[in-house]
Amino acid sequence: PYGVVGDSQGNIYVSHNNCNTVVKWPFNSTTSVRIGGTGTAGPAANQLSSPRHISLDEENGFIYVADTGNHRIQ
């Protein structure tokens, strides 16, 4: 895990740098849900490469991820 952020609903979002994914831990859940990346690094729109920091825009429903290996924000 690299980046962690929580929302006002109690959900936690975690970027996994080496797994190339972003997961959501719903409030009061014991399991996560993958919401970004495929688990394999790559440049496709559904892939991430070394995701790091996460930022939430709860008002508009956006999650921003610093996709450092691809030099972009997803």
Side-chain angles (χ1 to χ4, degrees):
Y2 198 96
V4 178
V5 67
D7 66 18
S8 62
Q9 303 298 313
N11 301 306
I12 298 172
Y13 301 83
V14 180
S15 64
H16 289 276
N17 188 51
N18 291 334
C19 294
N20 302 298
T21 59
V22 174
V23 297
K24 174 182 176 181
W25 287 86
F27 179 70
N28 275 343
S29 180
T30 58
T31 58
S32 64
V33 177
R34 185 186 309 167
I35 60 169
T38 63
T40 302
N46 67 334
Q47 292 179 303
L48 299 168
S49 179
S50 300
R52 296 207 178 160
H53 302 288
I54 303 172
S55 181
L56 300 178
D57 176 358
E58 289 189 72
E59 185 176 323
N60 295 301
F62 294 116
I63 301 169
Y64 298 97
V65 180
D67 186 14
T68 59
N70 287 316
H71 308 287
R72 66 184 179 188
I73 302 295
Q74 285 283 79

